Amino acid sequence: MDVVNGRGRRPGGTDVARLAGVSQKTVSRVFNNEPNVTEETRVRVLAAAQELGYRPNGAARALLTGRTHRIGVVSLGTAHFGPSSLLVALEREARRINYSLSIANTFEEDASGLAAAVDNLLVQGVDAVILSEPVDDGGEPLTVDVPVLTLGAAPVVHAPTVLAVHAAEGGDAAAELTRYLLGLGHRTVHHIAGPQRWWAARERRQNWHDSLVAAGAEVPPLLEGDWTAASGFELARALAGDPDVTAIFAANDEMAIGVIHALHAAGRSVPGDVSVAGFDDIPIAAHGGRR
């Protein structure tokens, strides 16, 4: 029976073990990233698997180990740069350690989106759940029976293990940015916030506010956008006509670009007349300011 070129049965772990000159247990250890395997043996097993076209049977492995090697990610149903970039980074890292991702999106208009998305992932038998910048749906605390990692601020979660990562793009960076603008000599800093159902937007708003208070600066009225350049443009039109407005902090780069557009339309230069700062470092942000 010709195994190598795909005719007949699919190659199995025993075929890989025979070609690599190792035991089937060693093949299993290699594909499960277990210790006690030399690098030379690992390379030989992987080369044999590639030659045979072998792929480990995920369902069978899950039955044997009790693990699916699949991680569930709750993300926002949005094409915005920040959440999309996080998904790409998560998948790259998951592939590196031989895991795959299952994605469940939430949507801002869905009042129970977070709990439903988590339930959808748990039904798939994921080994862990990542909450990637979730929105606040006002629901009860989440109860999950697998480990949970939260990226950024998140609701209360009850799980066997809960890990939280507060990225530099969150509140601490918003505070640093506000202090930087004040350090340039601006009397105060106006803020165009993201939608306040987003935990990340709340965190940036709060740290902007607290930094102004700590510096003894006036706290201007909050303006809330929806992350789009269009909302930044519309909200900044009134600010653009006020000569006392000399610094604007937008909660993301897209809104900052809209702010710059409104200022230019009003005949004010950036950064000559007004300093504008955003978040996310999207590629086009490098071309947003003109004198």
Side-chain angles (χ1 to χ4, degrees):
M1 185 173 293
D2 192 340
V3 175
V4 174
N5 66 11
R7 295 195 301 271
R9 68 177 178 84
R10 293 178 57 186
T14 54
D15 301 304
V16 176
R18 188 179 302 112
L19 182 59
V22 299
S23 68
Q24 188 173 2
K25 178 60 177 175
T26 297
V27 173
S28 176
R29 283 175 175 160
V30 168
F31 280 96
N32 286 308
N33 281 326
E34 294 180 16
N36 303 322
V37 179
T38 67
E39 185 60 24
E40 186 272 335
T41 299
R42 188 180 303 277
V43 169
R44 196 164 72 246
V45 168
L46 293 176
Q50 184 175 15
E51 180 178 337
L52 293 173
Y54 168 74
R55 295 291 183 274
N57 187 312
R61 182 170 63 184
L63 287 173
L64 289 172
T65 66
R67 298 167 62 191
T68 62
H69 282 255
R70 178 174 294 272
I71 298 172
V73 180
V74 178
S75 186
L76 287 155
T78 175
H80 290 307
F81 181 84
S84 299
S85 297
L86 274 176
L87 280 180
V88 172
L90 288 172
E91 183 170 11
R92 181 180 292 116
E93 183 61 18
R95 285 188 186 183
R96 188 185 68 80
I97 58 174
N98 294 324
Y99 271 74
S100 59
L101 297 184
S102 287
I103 311 296
N105 284 308
T106 61
F107 302 93
E108 288 189 71
E109 67 274 10
D110 187 350
S112 60
L114 185 58
V118 170
D119 286 344
N120 178 273
L121 293 171
L122 294 176
V123 167
Q124 299 177 47
V126 296
D127 294 332
V129 170
I130 297 174
L131 303 180
S132 180
E133 291 195 327
V135 298
D136 182 5
D137 60 11
E140 296 295 320
L142 290 172
T143 300
V144 186
D145 59 5
V146 297
V148 173
L149 168 65
T150 67
L151 303 181
V156 175
V157 178
H158 301 299
T161 301
V162 179
L163 302 174
V165 175
H166 292 279
E169 65 177 32
D172 290 344
E176 184 176 349
L177 189 154
T178 303
R179 290 192 296 266
Y180 173 78
L181 291 172
L182 291 173
L184 295 178
H186 297 289
R187 181 178 55 84
T188 190
V189 178
H190 289 72
H191 182 41
I192 295 182
Q196 292 300 290
R197 287 190 63 209
W198 288 54
W199 296 91
R202 292 183 189 175
E203 199 171 38
R204 294 171 198 180
R205 177 211 68 204
Q206 189 63 49
N207 281 268
W208 158 79
H209 175 276
D210 292 349
S211 297
L212 291 179
V213 171
E218 175 191 350
V219 180
L222 182 73
L223 300 175
E224 182 177 339
D226 63 6
W227 299 124
T228 66
S231 71
F233 176 80
E234 289 301 325
L235 291 170
R237 290 175 69 182
L239 297 178
D242 184 349
D244 290 333
V245 174
T246 62
I248 301 174
F249 158 35
N252 76 335
D253 286 340
E254 290 186 41
M255 291 195 298
I257 289 170
V259 169
I260 293 169
H261 181 189
L263 291 168
H264 287 161
R268 304 189 72 186
S269 68
V270 177
D273 297 325
V274 184
S275 296
V276 177
F279 261 75
D280 292 335
D281 197 22
I282 64 176
I284 199 172
H287 307 280
R290 298 176 299 184
R291 291 190 179 275

mmCIF file with all atom_site columns, all heavy atoms in Angstrom, residues 74-89:
data_model
loop_
_atom_site.group_PDB
_atom_site.id
_atom_site.type_symbol
_atom_site.label_atom_id
_atom_site.label_alt_id
_atom_site.label_comp_id
_atom_site.label_asym_id
_atom_site.label_entity_id
_atom_site.label_seq_id
_atom_site.pdbx_PDB_ins_code
_atom_site.Cartn_x
_atom_site.Cartn_y
_atom_site.Cartn_z
_atom_site.occupancy
_atom_site.B_iso_or_equiv
_atom_site.pdbx_formal_charge
_atom_site.auth_seq_id
_atom_site.auth_comp_id
_atom_site.auth_asym_id
_atom_site.auth_atom_id
_atom_site.pdbx_PDB_model_num
ATOM 1   N N   . VAL A 1 74 ? -12.722 35.698 22.232 1.00 0.00 ? 74 VAL A N   1
ATOM 2   C CA  . VAL A 1 74 ? -13.879 36.572 22.081 1.00 0.00 ? 74 VAL A CA  1
ATOM 3   C C   . VAL A 1 74 ? -13.363 37.928 21.628 1.00 0.00 ? 74 VAL A C   1
ATOM 4   O O   . VAL A 1 74 ? -12.605 38.595 22.341 1.00 0.00 ? 74 VAL A O   1
ATOM 5   C CB  . VAL A 1 74 ? -14.659 36.718 23.401 1.00 0.00 ? 74 VAL A CB  1
ATOM 6   C CG1 . VAL A 1 74 ? -15.829 37.676 23.207 1.00 0.00 ? 74 VAL A CG1 1
ATOM 7   C CG2 . VAL A 1 74 ? -15.165 35.365 23.877 1.00 0.00 ? 74 VAL A CG2 1
ATOM 8   N N   . SER A 1 75 ? -13.745 38.307 20.418 1.00 0.00 ? 75 SER A N   1
ATOM 9   C CA  . SER A 1 75 ? -13.288 39.583 19.867 1.00 0.00 ? 75 SER A CA  1
ATOM 10  C C   . SER A 1 75 ? -14.494 40.391 19.431 1.00 0.00 ? 75 SER A C   1
ATOM 11  O O   . SER A 1 75 ? -15.633 39.911 19.452 1.00 0.00 ? 75 SER A O   1
ATOM 12  C CB  . SER A 1 75 ? -12.356 39.339 18.672 1.00 0.00 ? 75 SER A CB  1
ATOM 13  O OG  . SER A 1 75 ? -11.804 40.554 18.204 1.00 0.00 ? 75 SER A OG  1
ATOM 14  N N   . LEU A 1 76 ? -14.231 41.604 19.034 1.00 0.00 ? 76 LEU A N   1
ATOM 15  C CA  . LEU A 1 76 ? -15.301 42.485 18.567 1.00 0.00 ? 76 LEU A CA  1
ATOM 16  C C   . LEU A 1 76 ? -15.511 42.305 17.074 1.00 0.00 ? 76 LEU A C   1
ATOM 17  O O   . LEU A 1 76 ? -14.556 42.164 16.314 1.00 0.00 ? 76 LEU A O   1
ATOM 18  C CB  . LEU A 1 76 ? -14.963 43.945 18.868 1.00 0.00 ? 76 LEU A CB  1
ATOM 19  C CG  . LEU A 1 76 ? -15.081 44.305 20.349 1.00 0.00 ? 76 LEU A CG  1
ATOM 20  C CD1 . LEU A 1 76 ? -14.197 45.486 20.678 1.00 0.00 ? 76 LEU A CD1 1
ATOM 21  C CD2 . LEU A 1 76 ? -16.520 44.621 20.691 1.00 0.00 ? 76 LEU A CD2 1
ATOM 22  N N   . GLY A 1 77 ? -16.756 42.310 16.661 1.00 0.00 ? 77 GLY A N   1
ATOM 23  C CA  . GLY A 1 77 ? -17.059 42.210 15.235 1.00 0.00 ? 77 GLY A CA  1
ATOM 24  C C   . GLY A 1 77 ? -16.785 43.524 14.548 1.00 0.00 ? 77 GLY A C   1
ATOM 25  O O   . GLY A 1 77 ? -17.698 44.255 14.157 1.00 0.00 ? 77 GLY A O   1
ATOM 26  N N   . THR A 1 78 ? -15.524 43.861 14.408 1.00 0.00 ? 78 THR A N   1
ATOM 27  C CA  . THR A 1 78 ? -15.137 45.152 13.855 1.00 0.00 ? 78 THR A CA  1
ATOM 28  C C   . THR A 1 78 ? -13.855 45.009 13.061 1.00 0.00 ? 78 THR A C   1
ATOM 29  O O   . THR A 1 78 ? -13.045 44.115 13.329 1.00 0.00 ? 78 THR A O   1
ATOM 30  C CB  . THR A 1 78 ? -14.927 46.196 14.983 1.00 0.00 ? 78 THR A CB  1
ATOM 31  O OG1 . THR A 1 78 ? -14.434 47.414 14.413 1.00 0.00 ? 78 THR A OG1 1
ATOM 32  C CG2 . THR A 1 78 ? -13.905 45.699 15.993 1.00 0.00 ? 78 THR A CG2 1
ATOM 33  N N   . ALA A 1 79 ? -13.686 45.893 12.079 1.00 0.00 ? 79 ALA A N   1
ATOM 34  C CA  . ALA A 1 79 ? -12.460 45.893 11.288 1.00 0.00 ? 79 ALA A CA  1
ATOM 35  C C   . ALA A 1 79 ? -11.480 46.956 11.775 1.00 0.00 ? 79 ALA A C   1
ATOM 36  O O   . ALA A 1 79 ? -10.490 47.227 11.098 1.00 0.00 ? 79 ALA A O   1
ATOM 37  C CB  . ALA A 1 79 ? -12.796 46.130 9.807  1.00 0.00 ? 79 ALA A CB  1
ATOM 38  N N   . HIS A 1 80 ? -11.741 47.567 12.927 1.00 0.00 ? 80 HIS A N   1
ATOM 39  C CA  . HIS A 1 80 ? -10.837 48.597 13.433 1.00 0.00 ? 80 HIS A CA  1
ATOM 40  C C   . HIS A 1 80 ? -9.442  48.017 13.656 1.00 0.00 ? 80 HIS A C   1
ATOM 41  O O   . HIS A 1 80 ? -9.281  46.834 13.989 1.00 0.00 ? 80 HIS A O   1
ATOM 42  C CB  . HIS A 1 80 ? -11.366 49.193 14.738 1.00 0.00 ? 80 HIS A CB  1
ATOM 43  C CG  . HIS A 1 80 ? -12.588 50.038 14.556 1.00 0.00 ? 80 HIS A CG  1
ATOM 44  N ND1 . HIS A 1 80 ? -12.649 51.083 13.664 1.00 0.00 ? 80 HIS A ND1 1
ATOM 45  C CD2 . HIS A 1 80 ? -13.813 49.989 15.139 1.00 0.00 ? 80 HIS A CD2 1
ATOM 46  C CE1 . HIS A 1 80 ? -13.833 51.654 13.714 1.00 0.00 ? 80 HIS A CE1 1
ATOM 47  N NE2 . HIS A 1 80 ? -14.562 51.003 14.599 1.00 0.00 ? 80 HIS A NE2 1
ATOM 48  N N   . PHE A 1 81 ? -8.436  48.850 13.505 1.00 0.00 ? 81 PHE A N   1
ATOM 49  C CA  . PHE A 1 81 ? -7.043  48.412 13.493 1.00 0.00 ? 81 PHE A CA  1
ATOM 50  C C   . PHE A 1 81 ? -6.641  47.689 14.778 1.00 0.00 ? 81 PHE A C   1
ATOM 51  O O   . PHE A 1 81 ? -6.012  46.633 14.733 1.00 0.00 ? 81 PHE A O   1
ATOM 52  C CB  . PHE A 1 81 ? -6.133  49.626 13.258 1.00 0.00 ? 81 PHE A CB  1
ATOM 53  C CG  . PHE A 1 81 ? -4.676  49.282 13.201 1.00 0.00 ? 81 PHE A CG  1
ATOM 54  C CD1 . PHE A 1 81 ? -4.104  48.839 12.027 1.00 0.00 ? 81 PHE A CD1 1
ATOM 55  C CD2 . PHE A 1 81 ? -3.869  49.410 14.326 1.00 0.00 ? 81 PHE A CD2 1
ATOM 56  C CE1 . PHE A 1 81 ? -2.754  48.518 11.961 1.00 0.00 ? 81 PHE A CE1 1
ATOM 57  C CE2 . PHE A 1 81 ? -2.514  49.101 14.274 1.00 0.00 ? 81 PHE A CE2 1
ATOM 58  C CZ  . PHE A 1 81 ? -1.963  48.651 13.080 1.00 0.00 ? 81 PHE A CZ  1
ATOM 59  N N   . GLY A 1 82 ? -6.993  48.255 15.935 1.00 0.00 ? 82 GLY A N   1
ATOM 60  C CA  . GLY A 1 82 ? -6.545  47.684 17.195 1.00 0.00 ? 82 GLY A CA  1
ATOM 61  C C   . GLY A 1 82 ? -7.001  46.242 17.403 1.00 0.00 ? 82 GLY A C   1
ATOM 62  O O   . GLY A 1 82 ? -6.176  45.331 17.548 1.00 0.00 ? 82 GLY A O   1
ATOM 63  N N   . PRO A 1 83 ? -8.324  45.977 17.416 1.00 0.00 ? 83 PRO A N   1
ATOM 64  C CA  . PRO A 1 83 ? -8.792  44.601 17.607 1.00 0.00 ? 83 PRO A CA  1
ATOM 65  C C   . PRO A 1 83 ? -8.316  43.648 16.509 1.00 0.00 ? 83 PRO A C   1
ATOM 66  O O   . PRO A 1 83 ? -7.976  42.491 16.789 1.00 0.00 ? 83 PRO A O   1
ATOM 67  C CB  . PRO A 1 83 ? -10.323 44.748 17.582 1.00 0.00 ? 83 PRO A CB  1
ATOM 68  C CG  . PRO A 1 83 ? -10.570 46.151 18.023 1.00 0.00 ? 83 PRO A CG  1
ATOM 69  C CD  . PRO A 1 83 ? -9.432  46.940 17.433 1.00 0.00 ? 83 PRO A CD  1
ATOM 70  N N   . SER A 1 84 ? -8.280  44.115 15.261 1.00 0.00 ? 84 SER A N   1
ATOM 71  C CA  . SER A 1 84 ? -7.839  43.253 14.162 1.00 0.00 ? 84 SER A CA  1
ATOM 72  C C   . SER A 1 84 ? -6.373  42.871 14.323 1.00 0.00 ? 84 SER A C   1
ATOM 73  O O   . SER A 1 84 ? -5.985  41.721 14.087 1.00 0.00 ? 84 SER A O   1
ATOM 74  C CB  . SER A 1 84 ? -8.047  43.957 12.814 1.00 0.00 ? 84 SER A CB  1
ATOM 75  O OG  . SER A 1 84 ? -9.405  44.245 12.596 1.00 0.00 ? 84 SER A OG  1
ATOM 76  N N   . SER A 1 85 ? -5.544  43.821 14.735 1.00 0.00 ? 85 SER A N   1
ATOM 77  C CA  . SER A 1 85 ? -4.125  43.543 14.933 1.00 0.00 ? 85 SER A CA  1
ATOM 78  C C   . SER A 1 85 ? -3.910  42.552 16.064 1.00 0.00 ? 85 SER A C   1
ATOM 79  O O   . SER A 1 85 ? -3.032  41.684 15.991 1.00 0.00 ? 85 SER A O   1
ATOM 80  C CB  . SER A 1 85 ? -3.363  44.839 15.232 1.00 0.00 ? 85 SER A CB  1
ATOM 81  O OG  . SER A 1 85 ? -3.445  45.720 14.138 1.00 0.00 ? 85 SER A OG  1
ATOM 82  N N   . LEU A 1 86 ? -4.708  42.656 17.112 1.00 0.00 ? 86 LEU A N   1
ATOM 83  C CA  . LEU A 1 86 ? -4.601  41.710 18.220 1.00 0.00 ? 86 LEU A CA  1
ATOM 84  C C   . LEU A 1 86 ? -4.908  40.288 17.757 1.00 0.00 ? 86 LEU A C   1
ATOM 85  O O   . LEU A 1 86 ? -4.224  39.337 18.143 1.00 0.00 ? 86 LEU A O   1
ATOM 86  C CB  . LEU A 1 86 ? -5.564  42.107 19.341 1.00 0.00 ? 86 LEU A CB  1
ATOM 87  C CG  . LEU A 1 86 ? -5.062  43.137 20.354 1.00 0.00 ? 86 LEU A CG  1
ATOM 88  C CD1 . LEU A 1 86 ? -6.172  43.492 21.329 1.00 0.00 ? 86 LEU A CD1 1
ATOM 89  C CD2 . LEU A 1 86 ? -3.850  42.612 21.113 1.00 0.00 ? 86 LEU A CD2 1
ATOM 90  N N   . LEU A 1 87 ? -5.925  40.131 16.912 1.00 0.00 ? 87 LEU A N   1
ATOM 91  C CA  . LEU A 1 87 ? -6.281  38.802 16.422 1.00 0.00 ? 87 LEU A CA  1
ATOM 92  C C   . LEU A 1 87 ? -5.144  38.187 15.608 1.00 0.00 ? 87 LEU A C   1
ATOM 93  O O   . LEU A 1 87 ? -4.832  37.000 15.735 1.00 0.00 ? 87 LEU A O   1
ATOM 94  C CB  . LEU A 1 87 ? -7.548  38.863 15.573 1.00 0.00 ? 87 LEU A CB  1
ATOM 95  C CG  . LEU A 1 87 ? -8.871  38.912 16.324 1.00 0.00 ? 87 LEU A CG  1
ATOM 96  C CD1 . LEU A 1 87 ? -10.036 38.970 15.337 1.00 0.00 ? 87 LEU A CD1 1
ATOM 97  C CD2 . LEU A 1 87 ? -9.026  37.711 17.238 1.00 0.00 ? 87 LEU A CD2 1
ATOM 98  N N   . VAL A 1 88 ? -4.523  38.998 14.754 1.00 0.00 ? 88 VAL A N   1
ATOM 99  C CA  . VAL A 1 88 ? -3.408  38.504 13.948 1.00 0.00 ? 88 VAL A CA  1
ATOM 100 C C   . VAL A 1 88 ? -2.262  38.051 14.851 1.00 0.00 ? 88 VAL A C   1
ATOM 101 O O   . VAL A 1 88 ? -1.670  36.980 14.651 1.00 0.00 ? 88 VAL A O   1
ATOM 102 C CB  . VAL A 1 88 ? -2.931  39.584 12.962 1.00 0.00 ? 88 VAL A CB  1
ATOM 103 C CG1 . VAL A 1 88 ? -1.641  39.154 12.267 1.00 0.00 ? 88 VAL A CG1 1
ATOM 104 C CG2 . VAL A 1 88 ? -4.013  39.865 11.914 1.00 0.00 ? 88 VAL A CG2 1
ATOM 105 N N   . ALA A 1 89 ? -1.941  38.853 15.855 1.00 0.00 ? 89 ALA A N   1
ATOM 106 C CA  . ALA A 1 89 ? -0.849  38.514 16.770 1.00 0.00 ? 89 ALA A CA  1
ATOM 107 C C   . ALA A 1 89 ? -1.166  37.247 17.564 1.00 0.00 ? 89 ALA A C   1
ATOM 108 O O   . ALA A 1 89 ? -0.299  36.396 17.772 1.00 0.00 ? 89 ALA A O   1
ATOM 109 C CB  . ALA A 1 89 ? -0.575  39.680 17.717 1.00 0.00 ? 89 ALA A CB  1
#
